[in-house]
Amino acid sequence: MENVPRPAEELAVLDDELARIEARRAQLLARRSYLLTLLRPEAPRSPVPPVPPPPWPAPRPPETSPPSVQNALLALGGVLLTIAAIAFTVVSWGAMGIGGRSVVLGTVTVAALAAPALLLRRALTSTAEAVGALALVLTVLDAYALYRVALPGTDPLGYTATVCAVLAAVWAAYGLLLDRLRAPLPVAVLTAQLPLPLGALAADASQLTLVWALLATAAADVAIVLWTKPAPARSLAGVTAWVTGGSALLIASGLSVTAGTSPDAVRPGLTLLAGAGLALFVAVRVPSASFAGALVAGLAAITATGGVPRPSLSIGWAVVGYLLCGAALWTAVRAPLPRTTALGLRAAAGVVVAGAVLWTLPATALTLLGPMSRAEAVWSGAPGGAREALGTDPGWSAMATAPLVLLIAAGLLASAYRRLPAAARPAALAGATALGWAAVLVLPAALDLGYAAAVATHLALTAVALTLAVYPRLPAVRRRPAPSALSAVSTTALICALAGAGAVSLLALATETTTLITLGVLLALLCGGAVALNAAVTEAGTATDGAAPTEAPGVLPARSFQALLACVAVATAAALLCALCASAGLRHEHIALAVLAVPAAVALLGARLRRHPVALPIELTAAGAGLLAVALASGHPESVALVLALCAVVAAGTALRPERRPAAGHLAAALFVLATWVRLYASDVATPEAYTLPVTVPALVVGVLRRRGDPGASSWTAYGPGLAATLLPSLVAAWGDPHWARPLTLGVAALAVTLVGARLRLQALLVLGGVVLALDTLHELAPYVVQAVGALPRWLPPALAGLLLLAVGATYERRLHDARRLRDSLGRMR
């Protein structure tokens, strides 16, 4: 028996149930509203009868408004009538005679032009707009019909230019007559853009004539913007003025830049000057376009004046010419112009100056990084000149004027200091400093001076930059006005000095003597700057009763400044020491031992400086020299062990200072242990325990004594080095030992250490013993594990992995709790 109802019956039942539920819900809501009115004292207490639910759902609101429907219908009707008119004119023209065709088109056009006036009187504005748009299209079709019937042999471009002029005038008059129509005047403005350019193309005129036609059109657009009232036409004329005027200036600029002779460059130059005058007129008369118009006017004027001498100059001097024109514009903006207009003209000059500076970037970058291309030719002999020393030729003959360009740009920035806002003055002085430094940096390569002259120039430039970096930090100078500007200059000069020091160091690698002299001079300059800054900061702190002197925002503090110079001086000392040793013919491993004099000397200096802010940075830099020594000795294990041991001695000496004891003490212990391991490896020792146990036993005794004298000492400090000295080398040997005696002995020892650590609650013993025991056990069981895994079915490992993941997921929270307890237990150990 089938008891399940059919879908239609079940659907009817569901609908009935839902209707009853909705009715009950409406009754409950009505009752709730009634009870709420009883609870409000100010509300009337007359009972509110329940509202029965509506039998049908409420109708949805319309998705479109009547005006939207109306506009859509009118637009669709206008489009359809336009398509019909075009089809009639183009396709069905041949089915009627000349008289019939003229009567039909003329009648329809006149009716379409006259209909909007009647519709506007009846307040049917939207309908009038649609019919008016149709009338505009019909006038275009009339012009096309006239060409096909009466003037088939006329030049198409010339006829189009004439028709566009007539239609623009007719549509403009029509729009002014029926000023409530919005379409005719904007369409007239758009059509008016075509007559002059099309006329120039029809007359087969030159590009310059086309430029004048575009400029005249832009001038007419400007007139419409300034002296007409309809807002849509004015807005559209403003856009078309920028388009046509910008196109004219771009074409004229191309003609000016590509002119073969100066007389040929004069004609596009005059066009550019005319365009500049028009743009400046717009900038003065239209406040909203003041900055943009002045910017375009300035760029056009500079292009025009700089383009006249350009054909008779090389590219380098042509850049200088454009730059001088920009500089002249910058200094000439003193007329009583609106502030925004003057700012736009200065921005145009700034764009030209920035472009000229960008042109010099390849020369500057090559001067800084070019010597790296000759890294394989260290001490191979002096090059023939500065350009040869850089290794790459980017076209120095064209960049010979790069220093002059940079100097002019620096002078412009410096001269603008007084006219700039106070917030922009530090940036201007910093930029002038950087540009002046770059000009002198590029000078030797630009003039192709001799190699010695290039190195001397770069050294002198670095000395001047360092002096300029240190001088504004002196207390007497800091008390003068504008400390922020001087601090910005100081920071910029420091960056330039460090970059120049790196460049001259690379440049000096060509010969041995030059390398030694250059590094020595740089070391003296850096040390002198650091010492001068130290005296200045000390004097400033004394003058402010020990408080830190105030610094301008956005610049390096004096202490950081001094620390940076000191760190670079340490690195330079290490490089000089390497160069001296290489000059003496020492091998790499011997040079490594000599380099350790740097961290040793810095450790002694740090002991004198104590908590001075410079002490820690230079000690970290000296640690880098220690890494360099290890790298130099890397080919000889015996030398590596000796270097590590000497580094450990330096670290141990540093650990005598209370403020360095924790970090330096641990580092010394680690280095001593590491040196021991490396020495054992270098000696091919098969039984390292014979050498490590004599160290471990006294070390553990010392650790016990340390713990008795200082109960708060960490177990890692007391027992960690001694245990690691034996356990870790033995673990390495056990992993390569095919026999069972060593792994078993090591495992028993590690187990004993682990148990002692757990009993005495010592973290170092527990962790070291546990890790060594686990790794030793893994080594011993690894072959059996591999054999067992190979014997298992292939589906079993994935299944076991899945079960493991399920178990871990099911007990994740408990495991985290246990891990926290273990961490707390280890943390409570000593």
Side-chain angles (χ1 to χ4, degrees):
M1 176 179 289
E2 181 63 43
N3 294 324
V4 179
R6 290 192 298 272
E9 296 176 355
E10 186 177 359
L11 182 60
V13 173
L14 292 177
D15 290 339
D16 293 340
E17 291 292 336
L18 290 174
R20 281 194 291 271
I21 292 173
E22 289 294 333
R24 181 59 179 166
R25 180 176 181 273
Q27 292 174 359
L28 293 175
L29 289 176
R31 182 64 180 172
R32 179 178 181 276
S33 300
Y34 170 70
L35 294 175
L36 289 175
T37 57
L38 293 179
L39 294 175
R40 299 192 187 100
E42 70 277 6
R45 298 187 179 275
S46 58
V48 179
V51 179
W56 301 101
R60 294 182 180 180
E63 296 182 357
T64 57
S65 61
S68 301
V69 176
Q70 163 198 299
N71 294 334
L73 294 176
L74 290 175
L76 181 60
V79 170
L80 292 177
L81 287 176
T82 302
I83 294 174
I86 295 174
F88 173 77
T89 305
V90 177
V91 178
S92 302
W93 190 253
M96 300 179 63
I98 182 72
R101 288 177 278 178
S102 301
V103 170
V104 171
L105 266 183
T107 303
V108 174
T109 303
V110 171
L113 290 173
L118 300 176
L119 294 172
L120 289 173
R121 291 178 185 176
R122 296 178 179 272
L124 300 176
T125 306
S126 299
T127 307
E129 290 282 358
V131 178
L134 175 62
L136 299 183
V137 176
L138 288 175
T139 56
V140 177
L141 295 176
D142 288 336
Y144 172 73
L146 180 63
Y147 173 75
R148 291 294 302 272
V149 174
L151 303 170
T154 307
D155 179 29
L157 280 178
Y159 179 77
T160 304
T162 304
V163 167
C164 288
V166 173
L167 289 179
V170 171
W171 291 343
Y174 186 67
L176 293 175
L177 182 62
L178 302 178
D179 54 356
R180 293 172 61 185
L181 294 179
R182 293 175 294 180
L185 285 178
V187 174
V189 171
L190 281 177
T191 309
Q193 309 304 310
L194 300 177
L196 291 180
L198 289 179
L201 293 176
D204 199 14
S206 62
Q207 287 184 322
L208 199 58
T209 305
L210 176 62
V211 170
W212 281 110
L214 291 172
L215 271 182
T217 305
D221 293 332
V222 171
I224 293 173
V225 171
L226 294 177
W227 295 302
T228 59
K229 292 184 179 180
R234 294 177 64 230
S235 301
L236 187 59
V239 175
T240 54
W242 282 110
V243 173
T244 54
S247 302
L249 293 179
L250 286 177
I251 298 173
S253 299
L255 294 175
S256 176
V257 171
T258 58
T261 61
S262 294
D264 292 339
V266 171
R267 291 189 292 271
L270 294 175
T271 308
L272 287 170
L273 290 178
L278 178 62
L280 188 59
F281 176 76
V282 171
V284 174
R285 294 295 302 273
V286 183
S288 59
S290 180
F291 179 82
L295 177 63
V296 172
L299 291 176
I302 293 172
T303 306
T305 53
V308 174
R310 184 205 58 78
S312 58
L313 300 174
S314 62
I315 183 173
W317 287 106
V319 173
V320 174
Y322 284 111
L323 179 59
L324 291 176
C325 293
L329 178 63
W330 179 273
T331 56
V333 182
R334 300 181 183 274
L337 295 172
R339 180 178 178 276
T340 311
T341 303
L343 187 61
L345 292 174
R346 290 196 178 98
V351 169
V352 175
V353 173
V357 171
L358 288 177
W359 176 78
T360 65
L361 280 183
T364 306
L366 184 62
T367 305
L368 286 172
L369 304 176
M372 294 179 64
S373 61
R374 295 173 51 89
E376 72 282 355
V378 175
W379 293 0
S380 60
R387 296 180 183 177
E388 183 181 346
L390 299 179
T392 305
D393 186 4
W396 282 110
S397 58
M399 294 186 177
T401 58
L404 181 59
V405 170
L406 292 169
L407 283 177
I408 294 174
L412 287 175
L413 276 179
S415 65
Y417 177 79
R418 295 295 180 187
R419 289 186 286 176
L420 290 175
R425 290 178 179 179
L429 283 184
T433 302
L435 291 175
W437 169 81
V440 182
L441 181 75
V442 178
L443 184 63
L447 301 180
D448 198 15
L449 300 179
Y451 174 71
V455 175
T457 302
H458 286 182
L459 277 177
L461 177 63
T462 303
V464 172
L466 273 177
T467 303
L468 190 59
V470 174
Y471 177 72
R473 302 283 176 169
L474 301 179
V477 179
R478 290 173 57 83
R479 287 192 290 268
R480 294 181 181 178
S484 60
L486 291 177
S487 297
V489 170
S490 175
T491 303
T492 305
L494 173 64
I495 297 173
C496 295
L498 296 181
V504 73
S505 299
L506 294 174
L507 188 66
L509 292 178
T511 65
E512 178 180 347
T513 304
T514 308
T515 301
L516 298 177
I517 294 176
T518 300
L519 292 177
V521 172
L522 289 177
L523 180 60
L525 290 174
L526 293 168
C527 292
V531 172
L533 274 177
N534 184 64
V537 173
T538 303
E539 182 181 349
T542 304
T544 56
D545 297 330
T550 57
E551 297 287 344
V555 297
L556 284 176
R559 288 296 189 188
S560 301
F561 204 103
Q562 181 189 10
L564 183 59
L565 285 180
C567 292
V568 178
V570 171
T572 305
L576 177 60
L577 193 56
C578 290
L580 288 172
C581 294
S583 176
L586 299 180
R587 293 185 298 182
H588 286 178
E589 58 271 20
H590 297 156
I591 297 176
L593 297 176
V595 170
L596 292 179
V598 174
V602 171
L604 295 176
L605 180 61
R608 180 177 177 81
L609 294 175
R610 292 289 177 179
R611 298 186 180 275
H612 194 282
V614 178
L616 180 60
I618 63 173
E619 288 173 0
L620 294 177
T621 307
L627 294 177
L628 174 63
V630 174
L632 289 173
S634 58
H636 300 78
E638 297 85 355
S639 300
V640 172
L642 181 57
V643 168
L644 290 173
L646 293 177
C647 289
V649 171
V650 175
T654 306
L656 295 176
R657 296 159 50 191
E659 69 275 10
R660 298 284 186 265
R661 182 167 298 162
H666 293 151
L667 179 62
L671 288 175
F672 274 126
V673 172
L674 187 59
T676 303
W677 295 348
V678 174
R679 183 60 194 175
L680 294 176
Y681 169 77
S683 302
D684 295 328
V685 174
T687 309
E689 293 82 3
Y691 300 90
T692 58
L693 282 175
V695 176
T696 296
V697 173
L700 292 177
V701 173
V702 172
V704 171
L705 297 177
R706 170 73 184 276
R707 293 273 293 182
R708 288 181 179 178
D710 184 10
S714 170
S715 61
W716 288 100
T717 304
Y719 308 120
L723 290 174
T726 294
L727 290 178
L728 296 182
S730 298
L731 180 62
V732 174
W735 271 71
D737 193 344
H739 304 288
W740 59 269
R742 185 193 302 274
L744 178 60
T745 305
L746 178 62
V748 172
L751 178 61
V753 171
T754 304
L755 295 176
V756 171
R759 177 68 180 83
L760 300 179
R761 302 177 63 83
L762 298 176
Q763 190 182 76
L765 278 67
L766 183 61
V767 172
L768 282 175
V771 170
V772 172
L773 179 60
L775 293 177
D776 184 65
T777 305
L778 178 63
H779 172 264
E780 291 302 304
L781 296 179
Y784 303 101
V785 172
V786 172
Q787 183 179 2
V789 170
L792 291 175
R794 294 190 177 183
W795 57 266
L796 187 58
L800 293 176
L803 291 175
L804 177 62
L805 291 176
L806 289 177
V808 171
T811 59
Y812 186 70
E813 185 176 0
R814 182 62 182 173
R815 297 296 180 267
L816 286 179
H817 181 67
D818 294 342
R820 293 191 190 99
R821 291 178 57 188
L822 177 60
R823 182 192 62 188
D824 296 339
S825 298
L826 288 175
R828 288 192 295 269
M829 293 182 180
R830 292 172 292 175

